[in-house]
Amino acid sequence: MKMFKALCVIGSVVACIYGSSVSAKVSPEEAARLGGGLTPVGAEKAGNIAGTIPEWNGGLTTPPEGFTKGAYNIDPFAKDPVLFTITKDNMQEYSANLTEGQKALLNLYASYKIPVYQSRRTAALPKEIYAAAKRNAVNVELLDQGNGVSEYELAVPFPIPKSAKEVIWNHLVRYRGGKGARVVGQVTPTKSGEFTVIMFKEEVVWRTSLTDFKTLKPSSKNTQFYYKQSIISPARLAGSVLLVHETLNQVKGPRKAWLYNSAQRRVRRAPQVSYDSPAEASDSLKVSDNFDMYNGAPDRYDWKLIGKQELYIPYNAYKIDSRDIKYKDIVKPGHINMDFTRYELHRVWKVEATLREDSRHIYAKRVFYIDEDSWQIAEADHYDGRGELWRVSEAHLAQFYDVDTPWNTMEVTHDLLAGRYHAFGLDNEQPKAYDFSIKRSSKDFTPSALRRSGNR
């Protein structure tokens, strides 16, 4: 297969907006493109010229035959054949559609490969999100040098983005079902492939999905969502609980976090759960703002919008989330078992973040590739202070078709220097699927509730 044109530049390079607040409102005439030439959340509706990226026709909203609501996803594309496989030997042929991180992994591991399948634009969201995106287009603005947003309550804030920070904000606050609970595992295998699965129970509820949303105090308006994570195994770690109140403008109102320590039986504030603090039980292969590919305040970086690119990214990742395989089938030395992955050609937004001179972070530069249909960061390259590529992250995206929600099923971060990786989202051996029907009030996410949950 011939290489496709790498960059589809959509305009001149946009300078970073850190120095001043930039209006993001668009005219009603421009907003009218949403649902026309653009999808309701701002992606290009048309396919590409080569026909290798199809037209978006509403996404995947009908579950396949045999699916039971609330059960694990059935792979609707299980019969799709692999079109071709990218390896170290042939990657130059596809170089224009690969990230530097993907090329580094192909060069580092002889067993690493990228199986490419037919591209299917499955991302779909609820009608109320589409309506909110159209309202946001003509109302929402960046505030405080791009560290916050105004007139915003529901995703997507900038469906027709004009700057890098607007694109990143679309990722930060993208729709993920409004609420949900799941039990998932993480692994940090040794170079030889030995691993222990650490299992977490997670609950996340966005402010607008709380049962007491209408009676919340005005002071809560800066809160984006409430998150609770409990370690349930192994026994040596079990019982510890993390509680987070994620804020929209984290410079104006920093993220609030608390930890319940099961050994001490006490709750303490955890201001370190942000930026480049080591992630829990990650063997220092991952930092706090690596989770969800990128999270938190954007204030430590200068941001630049490069444009759009056609890229092979993990997509429709139902195979790697299957109940038919075990953790040991997935976790291998050096990298996950690539036989269970699926890559497709999609358009992405390319954004560069360069560490500000007056700020500190272990990553001096980061390059993000954001899926245009879901606003999910699909690929991220992280560079050290010497300008060397250090870590490579990938999110394996799937459409939860019973709740119209695109979300990643697994995140993998590779440390190229250590020759190891961190994988988060393993749930293949769990008896229950993601639960998007939970009901929680703000009282369930208080420090006192954290203490009670830790005692149970």
Side-chain angles (χ1 to χ4, degrees), residues 58 107 190 224 243 344 373 415:
N107 277 317
T190 64
Q224 182 188 166
L243 172 67
E344 300 178 2
D373 287 329
D415 189 311

Side-chain angles (χ1 to χ4, degrees), residues 99-308:
T99 69
E100 292 305 309
Q102 290 174 322
K103 295 173 190 176
L105 290 169
L106 287 164
N107 277 317
L108 184 60
Y109 301 108
S111 55
Y112 195 84
K113 60 185 178 181
I114 296 177
V116 177
Y117 291 76
Q118 176 184 347
S119 296
R120 296 181 180 274
R121 297 178 67 180
T122 50
L125 298 163
K127 291 180 180 179
E128 60 266 27
I129 300 301
Y130 294 155
K134 201 158 193 174
R135 292 195 302 270
N136 292 340
V138 295
N139 290 307
V140 176
E141 295 180 291
L142 291 168
L143 294 175
D144 299 334
Q145 293 78 46
N147 295 312
V149 290
S150 70
E151 303 300 324
Y152 166 81
E153 199 161 77
L154 202 61
V156 174
F158 307 109
I160 306 178
K162 305 295 184 182
S163 70
K165 276 194 176 177
E166 293 166 22
V167 172
I168 286 298
W169 269 106
N170 284 346
H171 164 79
L172 291 173
V173 300
R174 72 195 188 283
Y175 182 76
R176 282 156 279 178
K179 55 187 178 179
R182 63 180 184 174
V183 174
V184 293
Q186 76 172 27
V187 293
T188 53
T190 64
K191 285 187 176 182
S192 62
E194 297 176 356
F195 67 94
T196 298
V197 182
I198 300 174
M199 298 304 301
F200 298 89
K201 179 181 179 181
E202 296 184 312
E203 291 185 358
V204 60
V205 181
W206 274 257
R207 177 175 172 270
T208 51
S209 294
L210 293 167
T211 56
D212 58 342
F213 166 62
K214 293 184 179 179
T215 60
L216 291 177
K217 295 179 180 179
S219 58
S220 72
K221 196 169 181 63
N222 191 40
T223 302
Q224 182 188 166
F225 62 76
Y226 301 81
Y227 172 77
K228 185 162 63 175
Q229 182 191 74
S230 308
I231 301 179
I232 57 179
S233 69
R236 62 184 172 82
L237 298 174
S240 296
V241 188
L242 169 67
L243 172 67
V244 174
H245 292 183
E246 184 76 345
T247 54
L248 283 166
N249 187 331
Q250 295 195 11
V251 174
K252 181 178 180 180
R255 168 186 292 163
K256 298 177 183 177
W258 297 263
L259 278 170
Y260 172 79
N261 186 296
S262 58
Q264 299 175 352
R265 299 198 176 192
R266 57 175 294 206
V267 174
R268 57 184 175 83
R269 290 295 295 266
Q272 75 278 10
V273 182
S274 62
Y275 297 110
D276 58 356
S277 62
E280 179 74 20
S282 68
D283 279 5
S284 296
L285 296 175
K286 195 170 187 176
V287 297
S288 290
D289 67 12
N290 277 139
F291 277 104
D292 196 30
M293 299 298 284
Y294 181 74
N295 71 85
D299 61 314
R300 294 192 180 183
Y301 290 93
D302 289 328
W303 297 83
K304 182 167 68 173
L305 181 61
I306 304 301
K308 276 193 179 179

Side-chain angles (χ1 to χ4, degrees), residues 326-363:
K326 304 296 184 183
Y327 302 144
K328 64 181 178 60
D329 299 322
I330 298 172
V331 183
K332 300 297 178 183
H335 55 81
I336 61 173
N337 189 337
M338 300 303 286
D339 287 332
F340 297 118
T341 63
R342 176 185 176 118
Y343 287 74
E344 300 178 2
L345 190 69
H346 287 262
R347 283 186 294 251
V348 298
W349 293 88
K350 183 178 180 180
V351 169
E352 286 187 0
T354 304
L355 188 65
R356 301 181 67 235
E357 291 185 359
D358 59 352
S359 296
R360 181 192 62 79
H361 199 289
I362 65 170
Y363 301 138

Side-chain angles (χ1 to χ4, degrees), residues 11-33:
S12 59
V13 172
V14 182
C16 71
I17 59 170
Y18 192 89
S20 61
S21 181
V22 175
S23 173
K25 293 180 183 180
V26 300
S27 68
E29 292 75 20
E30 192 169 6
R33 296 170 58 203

Side-chain angles (χ1 to χ4, degrees), residues 432-444:
K432 294 184 179 180
Y434 288 26
D435 183 3
F436 291 96
S437 66
I438 64 170
K439 296 182 187 226
R440 300 288 186 271
S441 74
S442 59
K443 294 179 181 178
D444 293 311

